[in-house]
Amino acid sequence: MKKKVMLKQKLLRISIVLIALFTAAIFFVTNIKVTNLVEKSVSLKLDNISNLGLDIIESKYSGDWNVKDGKLYKGESLIINDLQVLDAIKQKTGSIATVFLNDEKVATSELDSDGIRPIGAKASSEVVESVLGKGIVYNGTENILGETYAVKYVPLKDSKGKVLGMWFVGMPKSNIGSKDSQIFTMRISIVVISVLCGILGCVLLMLYVKKFLNDIDTLKVSFLESNSNGNKTQRKVVSLSLFLIGTFFLIWFTVQGFTIGNVVSNLENSNIKDRLNTCSQLGEMLIDETFEGEWTINYNNLCKGSYSLNNDTIIADKISSNTGLLSTIFMMDTRIATNISKEDGTKPIGAKVAGEIADTVLKQGEEYIGEITVADKKCIEKYVPLKDSTGQTIGMWSIGIERKVTAGQIRDLRKAISQISLLAILVAFGAFLILSVRFVSDIRNYNVCLSTRVSEESSY
């Protein structure tokens, strides 16, 4: 018995399978890369809270870490459970902070289910081995009162470099719930776009098959033959392969443009603003602990207490070293201190802030966050009003990040998706040709027909 094989249907089935596989590859690669991007954002935020929080303690309590009579001191200050800095960090960031003497909690903002601070509780053996044993930072996740936290432990050392305890910060994963919803939106977007593009590609593929392969109706067609029918079939299948690649590019281009151009960009903008909000709140604490007193303007100088901040980058440099962010202090609408440099190395001291920012911060006394250009650098910045004892706004403090940093992350994401897409296209093209040849090459056992009519013929 001889079988009638519908080459057209076979090629169509192969094409649909390859489109589905290509769509799945794009989805999983994009999902992994964007999830990694969010995890990196969480890690950066945790690092910022840890670094700024520890610097606030260093500024508030002078002297080295030391142990006297089995108790932990910072200089001459005893570190005990009523350390207000820890509660302030929790209030402003939602993260818990703890100071350990060796592996035991001696001060914490953590509260158990009964509202009691778990003083005396010990760290895990894994943390102890890394931080106390090896003197290295530990990053990971922990379950605290039934909730998952991203955590960071930093060794606390005395003047001789001996590890005496640990500084801990834990940020609940629930704090990134909005990001989870954005990732979910991204996943749905990729699926919907890919399915729609795949359906469109299959519809166009079927139209192509009907128009261009319907005229071939032969009982023996093969790539191995040199007759006109064989050559004609070969050209049609190659054309079908190129059409399939075009469908792949349609899916890839659409997913790239919409998902990365919109969803991922919005996600990254949200990450940046969240990070700026957190750092600005802790930055204000750092300023208050570094310089005591009220904000005033004396003899055309912006002062915090008795200290003039004109042309002084101590705060900007501290914040930059702890967060990698840009920082500027304004007297009214004029820059008086910054860690931003122009291309020639000079700083834009004396430059005025944009009118919209001045109106929002100086006149209305409200915070402002947005994208601006400073010293030819495109940045996302947050501006916070500085007020004197009467509540009058007499200056601003800004913290920001260069756009090229986030642009680089998105560019890396595009590159990764493009690489896997091109690889998938090449593999799919090769697989399509190989399978196509396999379907049409065995002329001894099959009669091949490219007609759209389905017929069953038997010969005995």
Side-chain angles (χ1 to χ4, degrees):
M1 184 176 73
K2 296 181 180 179
K3 298 180 181 179
K4 180 77 69 177
V5 179
M6 305 302 293
L7 177 61
K8 182 168 54 179
Q9 294 179 7
K10 293 289 185 182
L11 297 181
L12 186 58
R13 290 170 189 168
I14 296 171
S15 302
I16 293 174
V17 169
L18 292 178
I19 289 174
L21 291 176
F22 179 75
T23 300
I26 291 292
F27 172 80
F28 284 113
V29 171
T30 304
N31 182 55
I32 290 173
K33 291 296 181 180
V34 174
T35 300
N36 290 341
L37 190 66
V38 172
E39 289 298 326
K40 182 178 180 181
S41 173
V42 171
S43 179
L44 284 173
K45 182 179 177 181
L46 186 63
D47 287 344
N48 293 160
I49 295 173
S50 176
N51 295 340
L52 285 171
L54 187 56
D55 206 2
I56 290 169
I57 292 177
E58 296 279 357
S59 299
K60 185 176 182 66
Y61 304 100
S62 60
D64 296 316
W65 293 99
N66 62 93
V67 176
K68 300 176 184 177
D69 300 323
K71 296 180 180 180
L72 184 64
Y73 285 79
K74 182 67 169 61
E76 297 299 322
S77 300
L78 175 63
I79 303 301
I80 56 178
N81 190 41
D82 62 352
L83 201 59
Q84 296 179 351
V85 171
L86 307 186
D87 289 334
I89 291 174
K90 181 178 180 180
Q91 181 183 5
K92 291 180 179 296
T93 69
S95 300
I96 57 176
T98 300
V99 177
F100 288 79
L101 171 59
N102 292 316
D103 64 344
E104 186 175 308
K105 295 179 181 179
V106 295
T108 183
S109 59
E110 178 186 349
L111 299 175
D112 63 19
S113 56
D114 296 322
I116 299 173
R117 301 176 194 263
I119 300 300
K122 294 184 179 295
S124 67
S125 58
E126 182 181 5
V127 172
V128 170
E129 181 181 354
S130 296
V131 185
L132 298 180
K134 300 178 181 178
I136 60 176
V137 174
Y138 175 89
N139 288 281
T141 58
E142 288 183 6
N143 186 286
I144 301 176
L145 297 177
E147 187 172 0
T148 301
Y149 280 70
V151 300
K152 181 176 182 179
Y153 290 81
V154 178
L156 299 178
K157 301 178 181 181
D158 64 14
S159 59
K160 297 179 180 179
K162 180 183 177 181
V163 179
L164 304 177
M166 298 181 290
W167 163 248
F168 162 88
V169 170
M171 183 173 65
K173 288 283 190 176
S174 59
N175 278 11
I176 60 171
S178 61
K179 297 179 179 59
D180 287 339
S181 64
Q182 288 173 311
I183 293 176
F184 179 75
T185 301
M186 178 212 67
R187 289 170 177 163
I188 296 298
S189 300
I190 295 175
V191 171
V192 171
I193 292 170
S194 299
V195 168
L196 290 177
C197 291
I199 292 174
L200 177 60
C202 290
V203 170
L204 295 176
L205 195 64
M206 287 187 287
L207 293 175
Y208 177 90
V209 168
K210 183 175 181 180
K211 181 177 181 180
F212 293 101
L213 298 184
N214 199 48
D215 59 337
I216 303 176
D217 191 356
T218 178
L219 295 180
K220 293 183 178 182
V221 179
S222 173
F223 281 114
L224 305 178
E225 289 185 328
S226 60
N227 58 45
S228 59
N229 281 336
N231 292 335
K232 188 174 183 180
T233 303
Q234 183 177 3
R235 289 194 301 270
K236 295 299 181 183
V237 173
V238 170
S239 298
L240 190 61
S241 300
L242 295 175
F243 184 87
L244 187 64
I245 288 180
T247 302
F248 290 157
F249 273 110
L250 174 65
I251 297 174
W252 168 69
F253 181 80
T254 307
V255 171
Q256 280 263 40
F258 181 83
T259 303
I260 300 180
N262 293 285
V263 178
V264 176
S265 293
N266 291 337
L267 177 63
E268 186 63 6
N269 285 338
S270 175
N271 291 340
I272 292 171
K273 291 178 181 179
D274 184 35
R275 186 180 167 199
L276 291 180
N277 285 331
T278 297
C279 291
S280 70
Q281 290 175 321
L282 294 180
E284 288 183 80
M285 288 180 62
L286 180 58
I287 292 173
D288 288 338
E289 295 299 343
T290 304
F291 307 109
E292 296 182 358
E294 301 288 344
W295 288 102
T296 60
I297 295 180
N298 294 320
Y299 302 105
N300 203 33
N301 283 280
L302 181 67
C303 301
K304 183 70 163 66
S306 61
Y307 195 91
S308 172
L309 293 175
N310 287 53
N311 295 307
D312 193 310
T313 62
I314 183 171
I315 283 296
D317 290 340
K318 270 191 175 183
I319 291 172
S320 179
S321 64
N322 284 316
T323 65
L325 301 176
L326 305 173
S327 182
T328 301
I329 293 179
F330 297 80
M331 182 173 64
M332 297 305 291
D333 64 346
T334 305
R335 287 180 173 84
I336 60 169
T338 183
N339 65 349
I340 301 175
S341 297
K342 300 179 182 178
E343 293 183 359
D344 59 5
T346 60
K347 298 182 181 297
I349 300 298
K352 301 286 186 178
V353 77
E356 181 183 1
I357 300 173
D359 288 340
T360 302
V361 183
L362 296 177
K363 294 182 179 180
Q364 301 175 29
E366 298 178 357
E367 296 180 350
Y368 176 94
I369 188 168
E371 185 170 336
I372 65 168
T373 299
V374 182
D376 298 325
K377 294 180 174 68
K378 290 184 177 180
C379 307
I380 297 179
E381 291 201 331
K382 179 179 180 180
Y383 292 78
V384 178
L386 302 178
K387 300 182 180 182
D388 62 17
S389 58
T390 66
Q392 181 180 353
T393 302
I394 59 174
M396 298 179 290
W397 171 61
S398 73
I399 187 168
I401 184 171
E402 280 193 72
R403 257 300 187 188
K404 70 177 183 180
V405 176
T406 59
Q409 293 174 336
I410 294 178
R411 183 170 59 251
D412 291 342
L413 182 61
R414 287 184 185 274
K415 182 179 178 181
I417 296 176
S418 298
Q419 288 174 340
I420 193 64
S421 299
L422 293 175
L423 178 61
I425 288 172
L426 292 176
V427 171
F429 181 63
F432 183 84
L433 287 180
I434 292 172
L435 292 174
S436 299
V437 170
R438 184 177 178 182
F439 280 128
V440 300
S441 62
D442 193 356
I443 60 176
R444 295 177 182 177
N445 298 323
Y446 295 93
N447 287 334
V448 183
C449 179
L450 296 178
S451 170
T452 56
R453 301 186 303 274
V454 178
S455 60
E456 297 181 355
E457 298 178 1
S458 302
S459 60
Y460 300 89

